[in-house]
């Protein structure tokens, strides 16, 4: 959820994930074996219990303490990791081309639970945001079309910077959209999420890491703290895109 100044989890429930005798944790069954990929993660200690991997994580194997999963596809260790750990992950990653064409009709009807969680806006949301959302997405009929239009609008009319010189005030999204028009990834992602929710598209904000730098010697990716990032996912045909 979003309270006007910061994001928070509306459902903090986590369920335990029991390992098999070989240390394999099954998070969810694989739906399409052709989309399954396997990779290895070497994770340095971080100030979080989250385990990282490309969406959608299906299984984890390694010498890890008990694992937990939440309702937003997050996977966590029950206790903080105080040392470097290594684990193997199986993810199911849908083909990008198929995702782009996965919705051809009107914006779908979503469950009451999704509407409560992912269309919720603060009671004191600036009414100009609702107006702007309608203006940007007026020509769109699908969730992906609306997302593309909002993304293009933000890219065209706003600039990225890590050096904020303006006061966000009590309505930071309004300040960003209508006055400052410059900010870092959290402002872009938060604004996109709020605009899409105002346009009737179930949307969530995600924190994680970009892919980092490819290392041809080790045939792997080096992901640093500086690769931390915020982005947006929209709900399309029963999955987050």
């Amino acid at each position: 959820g979003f309270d006007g100044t910061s994001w928070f989890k509306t459902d903090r429930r986590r369920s335990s994930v029991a390992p098999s005798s070989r240390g394999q944790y099954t998070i969810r069954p694989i739906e399409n074996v052709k989309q399954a990929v396997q990779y290895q993660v070497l994770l340095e200690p971080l100030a979080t219990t989250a385990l990282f991997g490309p969406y959608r994580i299906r299984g984890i194997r390694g010498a890890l303490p008990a694992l937990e999963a939440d309702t937003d596809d997050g996977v966590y260790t029950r206790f903080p990791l105080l040392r470097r750990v290594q684990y193997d992950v199986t993810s199911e990653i849908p083909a990008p081309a198929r995702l782009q064409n996965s919705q051809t009709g009107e914006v779908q009807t979503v469950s009451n639970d999704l509407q409560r969680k992912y269309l919720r806006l603060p009671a004191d949301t600036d009414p100009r945001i609702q107006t702007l959302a309608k203006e940007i997405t007026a020509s769109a009929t699908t969730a992906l079309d609306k997302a593309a239009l909002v993304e293009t609008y933000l890219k065209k009319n706003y600039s990225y910077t890590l050096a904020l010189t303006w006061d966000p005030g009590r309505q930071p999204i309004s300040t960003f959209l209508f006055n400052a028009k410059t900010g870092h990834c959290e402002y872009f992602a938060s604004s996109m999420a709020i605009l899409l929710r105002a346009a009737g598209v179930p949307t969530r904000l995600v924190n994680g890491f970009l892919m980092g730098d490819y290392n041809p010697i080790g045939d792997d990716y080096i992901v640093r703290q500086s690769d931390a990032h915020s982005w947006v996912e929209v709900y399309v045909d029963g999955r987050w895109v």
Side-chain angles (χ1 to χ4, degrees):
F2 184 68
D3 61 10
T5 57
S6 60
W7 290 90
F8 60 93
K9 292 185 75 67
T10 53
D11 187 351
R12 298 178 179 272
R13 291 175 300 168
R14 295 181 183 178
S15 56
S16 297
V17 182
S20 68
S21 58
R22 297 183 179 182
Q24 173 70 39
Y25 295 86
T26 299
I27 310 302
R28 288 179 179 83
I30 295 175
E31 298 175 4
N32 187 337
V33 294
K34 294 182 179 180
Q35 296 174 353
V37 295
Q38 294 181 322
Y39 49 93
Q40 189 175 84
V41 176
L42 187 63
L43 181 65
E44 299 289 349
L46 284 173
T48 177
T49 58
L51 294 179
F52 298 93
Y55 175 70
R56 309 148 75 186
I57 295 178
R58 297 309 194 192
I60 293 177
R61 181 169 58 85
L64 296 164
L67 298 192
E68 299 177 332
D70 65 14
T71 58
D72 287 315
D73 304 300
V75 182
Y76 309 84
T77 57
R78 188 172 299 172
F79 311 105
L81 300 174
L82 303 178
R83 55 180 177 80
R84 176 189 295 178
V85 295
Q86 181 175 305
Y87 54 94
D88 298 319
V89 185
T90 299
S91 284
E92 189 175 346
I93 304 178
R98 196 173 307 164
L99 284 176
Q100 292 299 321
N101 297 320
S102 64
Q103 188 184 35
T104 56
E106 296 293 324
V107 175
Q108 72 218 57
T109 300
V110 297
S111 69
N112 290 333
D113 182 59
L114 277 167
Q115 291 187 43
R116 283 194 300 269
K117 290 182 65 175
Y118 301 113
L119 290 176
R120 180 182 296 163
L121 294 169
D124 60 347
T125 297
D126 189 334
R128 293 178 297 172
I129 291 178
Q130 190 86 46
T131 301
L132 180 61
K134 290 181 179 179
E135 291 175 353
I136 296 172
T137 62
S139 63
T141 57
T142 71
L144 285 177
D145 287 344
K146 289 186 177 185
L149 287 172
V150 171
E151 180 184 24
T152 299
Y153 178 85
L154 291 173
K155 285 183 175 180
K156 181 179 179 180
N157 296 287
Y158 300 81
S159 57
Y160 180 87
T161 182
L162 291 174
L164 297 183
T165 58
W166 47 276
D167 181 5
R170 298 180 62 183
Q171 293 277 359
I173 302 303
S174 292
T175 304
F176 171 74
L177 286 173
F178 302 112
N179 299 107
K181 298 188 177 183
T182 180
H184 49 63
C185 63
E186 290 186 4
Y187 283 99
F188 278 87
S190 295
S191 296
M192 184 172 181
I194 296 305
L195 285 168
L196 285 172
R197 287 188 179 190
V201 179
T203 308
R204 67 183 184 184
L205 181 133
V206 183
N207 290 325
F209 291 89
L210 297 173
M211 284 298 293
D213 298 319
Y214 178 66
N215 174 21
I217 298 176
D219 190 28
D220 54 28
Y221 286 87
I222 300 174
V223 182
R224 300 177 175 86
Q225 187 70 48
S226 58
D227 294 311
H229 191 53
S230 293
W231 65 91
V232 164
E233 293 179 349
V234 296
Y235 193 74
V236 178
D237 288 350
R239 67 177 57 175
W240 290 101
V241 180

